[in-house]
Amino acid sequence: MSNLIKGKKYEWETVIGLEIHAQVKSNSKLFSNSSTAFGSKPNSQVSLVDAAMPGMLPVINKYCIEQAVKTGIGLKAKINNYSVFDRKNYFYADLPQGYQISQYKYPIVGEGKVIIDFKDGSSKDIRIVRLHLEQDAGKSLHDQNPKKTYVDLNRSGVALMEIVSEPDIRSADEAGLYISKIRSILMYLGTCDGNMQEGSLRADVNISVRKPGYEYGTRCEIKNLNSIKFIKQAINYESQRQVEVLEEGGVIEQNTLLFNTSTGKTRPMRSKEEAHDYRYFPDPDLLPLEIDQEEINKLKKTIPELPDDRKKRYVEDYNLSNYDASVLTADKLVSDYFDNIIKSDKTLKESSKIVVNWLTSELFSLLNEKNIEINNSPITPENLGRLVKLIKEDIISGKIAKDVLVEMFNTKEDPEKIIERKGLKQVTNTSEIEIIVEEVLEENKKMVEQYLSGKDKLLGFFVGQSMQKSKGKANPKILNEILKSKLSKKH
Ligand code: ADP
Ligand code: MG
């Protein structure tokens, strides 16, 4: 599939680089001991440090540093033994210090890479430039009073990791895959809760367009997008806009843009001329951060199995396709559930593809309907495994199994009990099936004649009728065999 945009005159390539802000999962803030809990009463989690009272000193939260190092390891990135906290100076009502403590020249994490997987089984590396730590700002509330703006400092000082990519992304879809993959890695690591709705993960999107093979064009930066859907919409709109400007002989100005989620359009927030000069300088209240190799090695040992490792294991051990494996491992909870099914019975390993189907199509649709997360599924992994085994062993047909699954979902009973209670066991007894088939052929004599004179398609009709007569319980393979042999004898 080509990623190129067809303009009126030329074809264009979109070039995208993302700056992702991920809130560190920790109980307290980066430089103070206030809580980071979401949704608390405004200004109830603000220490003197967060409110920037004169003379207050920041104290580094070691746990946040460890979380950033672990994230760096998960992004296959270089961990820098030496990094520096700088002051990024600007004035804003929700920034009481008048500066944000961030990292500029010497970030804690350097170059890394993230792999994205496509439907056709291929994959692509997106290079990471850096990851640095910084404080979040407070929040201005414009919707509380018609005449006033209020300031809530609960978020002030919360630790953020800014993850910057190289401009390696070439389409809205790739951007979506990239941010999903980062989110998945962080959630496996437990270094960010990945909640985009609550703003724990949000992105600034840098976009330019160029004719394929030419140098990069001038980019615009769309600020603060907190859903994958909006990121894709914004990219599609903005790249199209840039193509139109360029084809009409215009130039792209390097602007910072905002995306309006109700119109689906971008609009300028500020131009490069208005860009801030942040006057970065090392924060005199904080010493450079030094982490020795031994400490990094210790943290390496705490890294759990990550999505790419799991994907590899699924492909190698369970023979799943690269894409199936990547879909399954994208969400840790789903992947854990799958692992628990396979672990529950030795024979299920060979039926992994069937397990995947029952999990991702049948169970998922029931869960979605009721809006239940997989970790709260009324059907345990063990019971889903047992259902698959019953199908494999021809105790029930796949069709009946769907009804059993619904019943399992509603009653939490195990499949054997339901099959017993409802008398759903498959009929494999040939004489029983023969009686049914004979009845059907007897009742449809005309059709049988038509079949014998060449209307082969009618076989399906006889199968359907017989199946119905057996209340769906006849073993389909045996039924087909008996039907064919009875019909051939009529020649
Ligand atoms: P700044 O320091 O001005 O923020 P960076 O060099 O750090 O600029 O780049 C910020 C982001 O913009 C990075 O994610 C990078 O990949 C992306 N980027 C840089 N050049 C381009 C371009 N021409 N088109 C699209 N994205 C770009
Ligand atoms: Mg930047």
Side-chain angles (χ1 to χ4, degrees), residues 15 17-19 164-167 206-208 216-217 219:
V15 173
L18 292 191
E19 296 165 272
V164 183
S165 85
E166 289 286 358
N206 295 271
I207 308 182
S208 61
Y216 287 155
R219 70 186 147 106

Side-chain angles (χ1 to χ4, degrees), residues 4 29 48 66 71-72 105 112 116 204 219 279 286 323 329 407 414 450 452 455 460 487:
L4 298 184
K29 297 183 181 178
L48 296 173
E66 290 171 354
T71 304
K105 251 195 189 156
I116 57 174
D204 300 340
R219 70 186 147 106
R279 302 284 298 273
L286 291 160
Y323 185 72
T329 51
E407 191 72 11
D414 49 50
Q450 287 173 2
L452 294 175
K455 240 183 147 184
L487 283 167

